[in-house]
Amino acid sequence: MSSTGTEQHPPTALIIGASRGLGHAMAAEFLDRGWNVVGTVRDTTARTPLRDLADRADGRLTIEHLDINDPGQLPPLHGRLAHRQLDVLFVNAGTTTNERTPIGAVATADFIDVMVTNALSPLRVIEALEDLVSPAGLIGAMSSGQGSITNNTAGGREVYRGSKAALNMFLRSFAARQVETQRAFVLLAPGWIRTALGGPDAPFTIEETVPLLVDVLLSRLGTPGPAYLDRFGETVPW
């Protein structure tokens, strides 16, 4: 268990986008480490893996509803969580489209969809819920190594790359406005993972990757300021 909590009062992580994939696996990993978890799902009617996890969690996992692209859902969610203090707020959101299309040929609607989901909506969530996070807690989001401008030597996936670079900039700007806090701000670049987004050809599994990601997050607790890190805790160039 993290030193941020005790046996009587375990720490709490809010995972935005926890219905399946990396978000679900992160929720499970935090539970395994003794944390309480709040996980959000977009569809309240579907039977997701998160609901199966909740059935086995002895009341330590709370499921909340949130469509990350609907800002009107944020005030009600804040109200439902207002009685809780969060030690970690982590936003796991991502979509992609037109991976092989040069940026000048991408349809405007597709561009907007990816940029809103990957860059704007995560920061809307963070700005709406940040006051629930402990002054010494952590706020983070799932980025990508493809969001690194420095490392982009091959091109391709240009809308996705641009959206993650924008996410990195937005969270870094948010952190710059929070200089008086002791919070950590973390952008995670997990690598190419076998998920619905990553596809079946990705070299890394969720099972081998997620414990490393949680290790990185926990290692940053108590270290103020922004960081852009891979799954081994190494700095990714902006």
Side-chain angles (χ1 to χ4, degrees):
M1 182 182 299
S2 165
S3 62
T4 60
T6 67
E7 186 175 354
Q8 292 76 27
H9 301 285
T12 298
L14 170 58
I15 309 296
I16 302 293
S19 60
R20 56 181 58 83
L22 286 174
H24 165 263
M26 290 180 72
E29 185 68 20
F30 273 106
L31 287 171
D32 286 346
R33 298 185 189 214
W35 285 53
N36 291 332
V37 175
V38 182
T40 70
V41 299
R42 184 172 52 185
D43 187 344
T44 58
T45 61
R47 182 75 188 185
T48 68
L50 189 68
R51 296 191 183 280
D52 296 332
L53 183 62
D55 289 343
R56 307 189 299 270
D58 298 323
R60 293 191 297 117
L61 171 58
T62 303
I63 298 177
E64 291 286 354
H65 170 242
L66 179 68
D67 181 340
I68 195 171
N69 288 338
D70 183 354
Q73 294 181 12
L74 288 169
L77 177 61
H78 185 283
R80 295 193 299 272
L81 297 177
H83 65 290
R84 308 188 72 156
Q85 178 173 272
L86 306 175
D87 298 279
V88 168
L89 164 59
F90 190 82
V91 182
N92 175 56
T95 190
T96 189
T97 188
N98 297 305
E99 292 190 3
R100 295 180 176 84
T101 305
I103 188 64
V106 171
T108 300
D110 290 342
F111 178 85
I112 291 172
D113 178 57
V114 175
M115 293 296 289
V116 168
T117 300
N118 292 2
L120 176 59
S121 291
L123 267 295
R124 280 177 167 164
V125 171
I126 288 169
E127 299 232 11
L129 303 180
E130 63 91 13
D131 66 303
L132 302 178
V133 180
S134 163
L138 180 146
I139 294 174
M142 193 69 78
S143 185
S144 168
Q146 295 188 40
S148 169
I149 294 174
T150 300
N151 284 349
N152 183 8
T153 59
R157 306 194 76 192
E158 292 169 11
V159 179
Y160 182 79
R161 286 180 185 273
S163 70
K164 290 299 186 178
L167 170 67
N168 294 350
M169 178 63 78
F170 295 159
L171 188 61
R172 184 156 185 169
S173 291
F174 177 80
R177 292 187 272 117
Q178 310 291 318
V179 292
E180 296 182 358
T181 78
Q182 295 299 304
R183 290 175 181 157
F185 302 92
V186 179
L187 291 149
L188 279 182
W192 188 12
I193 314 300
R194 276 174 240 154
T195 63
L197 186 64
D201 296 329
F204 304 111
T205 67
I206 289 176
E207 292 76 15
E208 65 186 319
T209 301
V210 164
L212 299 175
L213 298 179
V214 174
D215 284 345
V216 171
L217 293 179
L218 297 184
S219 74
R220 294 297 298 182
L221 282 168
T223 304
Y228 180 22
L229 304 171
D230 67 15
R231 64 186 179 279
F232 302 113
E234 298 296 325
T235 297
V236 181
W238 298 91

